Amino acid sequence: MMCRLLLFLSMGAFVLHVQGQSCATVGRGNATFEVNSDSSGVNVTVGGLQLLKHTTSNPMLYVGSGQDTVSELIGNFFMNEYTYERVGLTNFTVQQQGSGIYNLHLSFCEFWITLRLSPGEKTPLVVNVADSSNNFNRVWLRVPAAGPGEHVYGGGEQFSYLDLRGRLFPIWTREQGVGRNKSAVVTFFADQLGKAGGDYYTTYFAQPTWLTSKNYFIHYTGSNYAELDFRHPDFYEMYIEGAPESWHFQVQPSMKNLVSCLTDLFGRMSTLPTWLYSGAILGVQGGTETMLNRLKQAQDANISVAGLWIQDWSGTRTTRFGTRVNWNWQWDPSHYPNLNSTIATLKESGVRVLAYINPNLDTRGDLYRTALAHGYLVRNSKTNSTYHVFFGEFRCGIVDFTNPDAFNWYKNDVIKKNMIKLGLGGWMADFGEYLPVDALLHSGDAKLMHNQWPRIWAKLNHEAVQEMGEAANDVVFFSRSGFSGE
């Protein structure tokens, strides 16, 4: 079947000048974006810097279709993508849709997409999809590169490279893995024994954001699986699987101002409690007596101690792997006798006790049975039964935080009651990166929720602390996984 080519050209050259807000709350001034168009293409600049460029020979947007498979083993995820087709949307029109809002319509044959360009509340330019055809499920957005002297940063918490230029970075939260180089002996054997080898891009905290030495950033708001590709010398490309959301563009006169604008967009971390700065936090375990002995040893050696982190506060299980924490998140008095009074005594002397929790519940525990009885656990999309994850000689259910009742139960009856009211000064909120993509949630697609899971888990912990009044200024939690968003 012949393709019906429709060439949409703008009627003459024109310039659109739109005033946008930029970092208003941090006093960074206002930036603007401009759209310049003629019969050959479209240029979009922010603060005078070209960030989008489209011509019929080099389109800024490609669409296509594909299929992927995702496999997982104990938090290590493997993405296998197969692309059926990829088409550049070469044809274009630009239309004004109201004050400060413009539509850029891109098309080729039966494929088309309309991008809306508008000033954002906290960034001078926001680009989102206003409408599109329904015959593609992959999108590639290209941004001009400024030459070999430009350096690129971001992608979340990247452990191997500070400058991302020249490499591709998948945006998917997962286990970091063992090692950072597939050619290393330790990584090879980790892969052979349990598919646990890391790579240069595997990270607990991936984020679809990049900023460059040209003092601009681009942030994508979606949680779809994505890839940031900085391998080409002339352009940067972002691949998005599924329906795209929006992109935020920001330009500033300095990197310092740019980072301030980025944190203004996401929200800034609360001030940490002052006791955290009074000494070391010692990771100890083994019961109340052992904990106090370790504290005395440190203090006898003139080490200032601010806290004692006891991951095994909820008891232990013995496995062939060794002694494991009991994933039933309540104080085990047999393992830590008099922990409640010991916490109060230590706090008076300036030492806090910290603990550990994650979203998973051991099937042998009281909390699992409560969650199961109330329908608070993630289900398996294949069997519609409770989803059980194997963690090495014990199985767990996952609390479904997309269920408001389950979210509130875990926040109020587990964290507030079992941890904050016990007197704990904080805890590690772990395992935000494990949500399986074949899970069946109360609401939302598990694959789209996977990257969001550590953010939702952090939100639950944050609310629990903030809602405890005075404790909000004294309690701190920390995590190893994360994603962008407030």
Side-chain angles (χ1 to χ4, degrees), residues 310-381:
I310 52 170
Q311 296 188 71
D312 60 344
W313 71 290
S314 55
T316 60
R317 302 265 188 198
T318 301
T319 69
R320 286 177 295 177
F321 184 77
T323 300
R324 302 286 301 276
V325 173
N326 181 21
W327 292 14
N328 185 53
W329 311 117
Q330 54 192 10
W331 167 35
D332 183 350
S334 65
H335 191 51
Y336 276 91
N338 305 312
L339 180 61
N340 53 349
S341 58
T342 302
I343 288 174
T345 301
L346 288 174
K347 184 176 180 180
E348 290 178 359
S349 68
V351 178
R352 301 302 199 280
V353 176
L354 297 89
Y356 175 92
I357 189 173
N358 66 51
N360 308 299
L361 298 174
D362 193 319
T363 56
R364 296 169 292 187
D366 298 338
L367 293 178
Y368 171 84
R369 289 189 285 272
T370 299
L372 181 66
H374 288 84
Y376 291 162
L377 299 173
V378 169
R379 291 175 293 156
N380 191 310
S381 62

Side-chain angles (χ1 to χ4, degrees), residues 111 174 417 445:
F111 301 98
R174 63 183 108 187
K417 180 180 177 181
D445 181 282

Side-chain angles (χ1 to χ4, degrees), residues 284-312:
V284 299
Q285 57 187 12
T288 306
E289 183 178 355
T290 300
M291 175 184 72
L292 294 175
N293 286 338
R294 295 289 185 267
L295 173 62
K296 184 177 185 304
Q297 289 174 356
Q299 292 175 335
D300 288 347
N302 295 319
I303 297 174
S304 298
V305 178
L308 300 167
W309 179 30
I310 52 170
Q311 296 188 71
D312 60 344

Side-chain angles (χ1 to χ4, degrees), residues 45-159:
T45 61
V46 179
L49 182 66
Q50 183 186 57
L51 293 184
L52 293 174
K53 180 180 180 180
H54 175 87
T55 67
T56 55
S57 58
N58 290 294
M60 61 177 272
L61 202 73
Y62 290 74
V63 299
S65 59
Q67 182 178 348
D68 72 342
T69 56
V70 182
S71 57
E72 180 262 342
L73 180 63
I74 315 180
N76 298 282
F77 287 82
F78 309 95
M79 323 296 291
N80 296 297
E81 170 76 14
Y82 184 80
T83 301
Y84 301 137
E85 61 182 338
R86 170 175 163 142
V87 177
L89 302 183
T90 56
N91 309 316
F92 69 95
T93 57
V94 180
Q95 297 176 326
Q96 185 171 355
Q97 295 297 311
S99 177
I101 301 174
Y102 296 85
N103 282 354
L104 174 59
H105 185 83
L106 304 170
S107 66
F108 185 82
C109 299
E110 71 272 22
F111 301 98
W112 59 269
I113 191 168
T114 300
L115 299 178
R116 177 163 297 176
L117 286 66
S118 62
E121 181 180 348
K122 293 186 176 181
T123 54
L125 173 62
V126 178
V127 176
N128 56 45
V129 177
D131 201 2
S132 67
S133 54
N134 58 5
N135 53 353
F136 61 85
N137 60 6
R138 302 289 189 271
V139 172
W140 293 261
L141 175 71
R142 286 186 176 181
V143 176
E150 185 177 26
H151 304 287
V152 179
Y153 314 105
E157 189 178 48
Q158 295 297 334
F159 296 96

